[in-house]
Amino acid sequence: MTEISAFELSRAYAAGWNAAKRSGSDDPEGASNPYAEGEAHTRWAEGYRGAQDSRGPGAKMKKSQPRAAPVQPE
């Protein structure tokens, strides 16, 4: 297995992020991860989940997923 550079891993993360923003799906495993396995596959999935987390409380969520309580400023 070849070693993947930090730049290539950042591109895998960005590709996952962009895929989530385009698809609107809540399931990264159901999305088409172009990386079959390894570190790039993991980074793509992290990017996908990161984009989902960035949607905020008004985003479409699964019915089984509870809403997070709003954070009160200190």
Side-chain angles (χ1 to χ4, degrees):
M1 190 163 134
T2 61
E3 188 171 327
I4 299 174
S5 72
F7 176 77
E8 291 170 315
L9 290 174
S10 75
R11 299 314 308 147
Y13 185 94
W17 180 282
N18 290 333
K21 291 296 186 180
R22 283 190 305 269
S23 76
S25 173
D26 289 336
D27 182 15
E29 299 306 319
S32 298
N33 187 333
Y35 302 97
E37 59 184 32
E39 207 171 348
H41 179 88
T42 301
R43 290 290 290 162
W44 187 95
E46 288 172 357
Y48 195 99
R49 284 188 297 276
Q52 291 173 330
D53 292 344
S54 75
R55 291 183 187 165
K60 181 179 172 185
M61 299 170 66
K62 293 181 186 178
K63 290 182 180 181
S64 64
Q65 185 177 9
R67 290 199 179 268
V71 177
Q72 298 297 324
E74 296 181 332

